[in-house]
Amino acid sequence: MGNKYLVTGGAGYVGSVVAAHLLEAGHQVTVLDDLSTGHRAGVPAGAEFIEGRIQDAAKWLDPSYRAVLHFAAFSQVGESVVNPEKYWVNNVGGTTALLAAMRDAGVRTLVFSSTAATYGEPETAPIPEDAPTAPTNPYGASKLAVDHMISGECAAHGLAAVSLRYFNVAGAHRAADGTTYGERHDPETHLIPLVLQVAQGRREAISVFGDDYPTPDGTCVRDYIHVADLAEAHLLALDAARAGEHLICNLGNGNGFSVREVIETVRKVTGHPVPEVTAPRRGGDPAVLVASAERAKELLGWRPSRTDLAGIVADAWEFARRKETA
Ligand code: UFG
């Protein structure tokens, strides 16, 4: 029958893919999501769904849950700069309530969706977990604050926790029942889905935010990781979590691709023209963000298998086209 898991934010992009993986592995899943940014249709068919806030998690958590996988959060860097209080109230305040509810219910294992944005402007590439954490925006700061809260909870109250720091998540997951789970942000701000919208003719051109960075082609370099590889790390993290310990692992492929390389890959994969225009730099964008994921490989036994950028883009393209015809 497997174990029972609470997935907060399981109607969002990464949460829904992880929920689908848990179900495919034979577990029971309850999704808690307030649908403020998630989609009801993103909740996998086999999951129980609760429409509610993490602030009220105590209403539903009980000792039958083996662990919580916590994805519910606001995640737009730009929005966090103009509306930081939203990020402190929800991401930090909400997680405070969730941790208290877990303590009260005796649910003592947590996997947390953290981010490379906790590192800020990196001094090195690839970035290891012991790199300095100096977030450049309130989104990253709120996620770092939660990582600190989790460390305290582990030390003081014996929580077993793993924080997974994602780099640039992309692609889509096709579940065993044929359902495809992908990225559907509104507004969309991420590079790959936006470039695919241009390929579909839904946007005129892609804006390249800055081509004067100190990188080979002048555009920003990012580490794109397939959402299904990312999801697998969460299942491994559940097994690796130890009482009283807070393990932090980066998740990325260790390969950087520039904005222009991503656009060129989309042209090749889709066969469609993708006009581009050079635009000013976007505030707060580091030139290069590439992960060292050696710790996840060593301690979780994680083996990403979908590391080819064209394959990641092809899966995202399949999802985008299905959405178009849905
Ligand atoms: N970009 C463009 N044009 C666009 C959109 C993006 O040139 O229209 C560029 C960005 O400037 C950046 C790169 O494409 O250089 C990737 O941008 P994304 O918005 O797709 O991703 P980010 O690297 O900004 O952000 C991701 C996650 C964040 C996380 C951050 C830190 O989405 O949640 O990585 O690792 F905080």
Side-chain angles (χ1 to χ4, degrees), residues 195-196 199-200 265-274 313 317 321:
V195 182
L196 291 174
Q200 284 177 306
T265 304
V266 169
R267 289 186 183 117
K268 283 195 184 124
V269 167
T270 67
H272 289 286
V274 177
V313 167
W317 177 234
R321 295 174 77 194

Side-chain angles (χ1 to χ4, degrees), residues 75 77 115-117 139 166-168 189-191 194 206-209 220 222 224 259 282 285 289:
S75 65
V77 170
T115 169
Y139 163 65
Y166 313 158
F167 282 65
N168 288 62
T189 61
H190 292 123
L191 181 65
L194 285 175
I206 186 74
S207 297
V208 176
F209 295 147
C220 287
R222 294 289 182 272
Y224 295 90
V259 172
R282 191 173 66 176
D285 270 346
L289 276 179

